[in-house]
Amino acid sequence: MAGVTLLLLSGCAAMGGDGAKPVAAKALPKGLDASANPDPFPSTYKPLPGKTVAIVGANILTATGKEIDGGVVVLEGGKITAVGAAGTAVPQGAEIIDGKGKWVTPGVIDAHSHLGVYPTPAVQAHSDGNEATDPNTAQVWAEHSIWPQDPGFNRARAGGVTTLEILPGSANLFGGRAAIVKNVPSVTYQGMKFPGAPYGLKMACGENPKRVYGSKGRSPSTAMGNVAGYRKAWIDAAEYMRKWDEYHAKVGRGEKADPPKRDLQLDTLAGVIRGEILVQNHCYRADEMATMIDISHEFGFHVAMFHHASEAYKAADILAKENVCIATWADWANFKMESLDGIEANAAIAHKKGVCVVIHSDDETITQHLNQEAAIAMTAGNRIGLNISKADAISWITANPAKAIGILDKTGTLETGKAGDLVVWSTDPFSVYAKADKVFIDGALVYDRFDPAKKAKSDFELGQPGAGEFQ
């Protein structure tokens, strides 16, 4: 039930008995009913001022499968208003950027980041990414751990990253809510929150939860303990939803009703079942991905994306059929047992099987080079004859992560009407020599490699010797 929920006073329906006056219903405080205030920490993001800009003569990868040689992109009013071949009309008075020899792509989207929750420098005082106190901490929200002063945001922007999904860590079966942020300088996390983006729920299967809690003599200590933990939680969530639905139905009929006690943990799980929150599931092995899909069928939700997914190539047919995206690295594998079968061609093989593939970072350094990670993964596929084009591979760090985190209708491709989020690269972005010359977010120039005034510094770094833009 949307809006303010009404709590009917004890012994009173809509009308008192024996001609008594109707008893006014008392509003339930909005903090006690999730449906009354679904966005208690709203975005305050405002796009930075921008101009009408036309990038002319660049090679353009639209992330819709097209490559345009010597084309034109126009940004106006914060949006993309034109994308086309040479000769595309340019608005009068537009600032012209000479794109000859340069490439233009959508802004890079890192769908697995811990910037802000594990900021630089890595000290215990700011190690806020894992609430490793219980296997189920679905009640915690990553945004409440984000430190906007993390210099990593600026360095990621210098690598072309315009949007990030900030996730809690993977110690728990249910790690908490993930937040989507625009990569802009801000004093508060609310000033970075992507307007209208859905929350994610971080889940983890495999070695991490059983290692963390088994070492404490608690469940889960085995893979079967992991699965029992997931199933119990979804059963609890279904019962919680039933109680609230029953309460709202009674209120709607004007009947006496006692509201259930609000539970922040179950609010998040109920949000998943209702399709409002997207499951982002850390999972390496093919067999465990299949198990998680079965659990999603059992309780009526959808897994948006498996993260890390080292064995996606083994389960590609299943993943494609289920419309589940996978996020993985280009060549990071073999660092623990569940990553042992990771291969460089993982992303490429899954892509060719029809899976929505994402190249992610999970790292404050890799996030600065996601274009080169995509190049490594593309090359690994082409080395075994998969013939993946740059026009397709660019979607691994733009359109596909946008789809997986629920913002593809707003950004992720160069199409008319979408946000003016793009990167002007010094050369082919799949080259090891490529650098982001200019980065735009909502049509505003937020980074310029040649203009110190457009290289934001964290307040934390002012007056201190920094590590520079890249690590």
Side-chain angles (χ1 to χ4, degrees):
M1 176 183 177
V4 176
T5 300
L6 301 181
L7 171 63
L8 301 180
L9 299 179
S10 176
C12 300
M15 177 72 79
D18 300 327
K21 294 181 179 178
V23 178
K26 182 179 179 182
L28 187 66
K30 61 183 182 180
L32 299 184
D33 182 351
S35 69
N37 186 25
D39 190 16
F41 306 96
S43 170
T44 59
Y45 168 76
K46 300 292 183 187
L48 294 169
K51 302 176 182 177
T52 298
V53 173
I55 305 160
V56 177
N59 290 340
I60 300 167
L61 296 172
T62 64
T64 61
K66 296 180 183 176
E67 179 173 347
I68 304 171
D69 294 334
V72 176
V73 179
V74 177
L75 303 178
E76 193 170 11
K79 303 288 186 184
I80 298 169
T81 55
V83 182
T88 296
V90 172
Q92 189 172 14
E95 177 180 322
I96 306 296
I97 296 175
D98 182 3
K100 187 176 180 181
K102 301 184 185 299
W103 291 58
V104 177
T105 71
V108 176
I109 298 174
D110 190 350
H112 190 120
S113 174
H114 298 300
L115 292 182
V117 300
Y118 284 123
T120 302
V123 295
Q124 186 59 38
H126 281 165
S127 181
D128 291 329
N130 255 320
E131 180 64 29
T133 55
D134 191 88
N136 186 350
T137 58
Q139 71 274 18
V140 304
W141 298 22
E143 64 196 52
H144 298 148
S145 284
I146 292 175
W147 184 48
Q149 295 297 320
D150 183 357
F153 288 119
N154 297 329
R155 292 168 188 162
R157 194 180 312 117
V161 175
T162 55
T163 302
L164 306 103
E165 179 173 52
I166 309 298
L167 296 138
S170 55
N172 305 336
L173 301 175
F174 298 91
R177 292 198 192 194
I180 315 298
V181 299
K182 295 266 189 178
N183 192 12
V184 294
S186 176
V187 173
T188 67
Y189 71 82
Q190 293 94 329
M192 302 173 73
K193 284 181 73 174
F194 196 120
Y199 282 107
L201 169 63
K202 176 69 177 294
M203 294 181 64
C205 53
E207 297 177 15
N208 286 10
K210 63 181 184 177
R211 170 176 52 79
V212 171
Y213 294 98
S215 66
K216 298 176 181 177
R218 298 182 56 185
S219 180
S221 63
T222 62
M224 57 187 173
N226 283 354
V227 173
Y230 308 130
R231 299 178 79 203
K232 178 184 184 304
W234 292 118
I235 291 169
D236 290 345
E239 175 65 8
Y240 181 69
M241 290 173 61
R242 184 193 65 75
K243 290 178 179 177
W244 274 104
D245 289 346
E246 183 177 280
Y247 165 74
H248 288 139
K250 285 184 176 179
V251 170
R253 296 193 296 267
E255 299 175 4
K256 176 184 175 183
D258 293 324
K261 181 182 178 181
R262 186 177 181 188
D263 185 312
L264 296 175
Q265 184 180 99
L266 295 175
D267 278 348
T268 296
L269 301 186
V272 170
I273 295 174
R274 292 192 175 102
E276 300 162 352
I277 297 175
L278 306 182
V279 170
Q280 306 293 341
N281 196 162
H282 158 123
C283 211
Y284 287 80
R285 285 181 8 200
D287 60 318
E288 293 188 322
M289 288 185 246
T291 296
M292 298 307 290
I293 288 172
D294 280 348
I295 292 171
S296 74
H297 293 168
E298 186 178 20
F299 294 100
F301 63 92
H302 178 69
V303 178
M305 182 158 65
F306 287 117
H307 293 235
H308 312 332
S310 296
E311 296 185 6
Y313 64 98
K314 297 183 183 179
D317 291 338
I318 298 172
L319 296 166
K321 178 185 175 186
E322 295 288 336
N323 193 27
V324 178
C325 296
I326 66 106
T328 191
W329 301 281
D331 57 359
W332 197 1
N334 304 312
F335 52 91
K336 56 182 177 176
M337 283 300 295
E338 61 189 359
S339 73
L340 201 63
D341 281 356
I343 59 173
E344 287 188 346
N346 182 32
I349 294 171
H351 171 85
K352 278 296 183 181
K353 289 279 190 175
V355 178
C356 160
V357 167
V358 172
I359 300 295
H360 67 3
S361 77
D362 191 20
D363 183 82
E364 71 276 15
T365 302
I366 292 176
T367 195
Q368 302 168 24
H369 309 285
L370 281 170
N371 57 311
Q372 290 159 359
E373 291 290 303
I376 294 169
M378 178 185 71
T379 303
N382 290 342
R383 205 159 43 226
I384 59 173
L386 296 181
N387 297 320
I388 295 172
S389 69
K390 294 172 184 174
D392 281 343
I394 197 65
S395 67
W396 298 349
I397 56 172
T398 55
N400 289 359
K403 174 186 175 183
I405 63 178
I407 56 172
L408 182 58
D409 61 330
K410 301 175 178 65
T411 188
T413 60
L414 298 182
E415 294 180 280
T416 301
K418 287 201 172 180
D421 300 345
L422 61 78
V423 185
V424 180
W425 300 93
S426 61
T427 186
D428 178 353
F430 292 91
S431 163
V432 72
Y433 299 109
K435 293 182 178 179
D437 280 353
K438 298 179 187 294
V439 179
F440 291 84
I441 296 178
D442 286 315
L445 181 62
V446 295
Y447 173 81
D448 187 328
R449 187 159 68 94
F450 305 102
D451 183 355
K454 292 295 183 182
K455 295 181 176 180
K457 295 288 184 185
S458 163
D459 289 350
F460 174 77
E461 289 186 304
L462 294 177
Q464 300 188 50
E469 292 171 352
F470 292 93
Q471 295 177 321

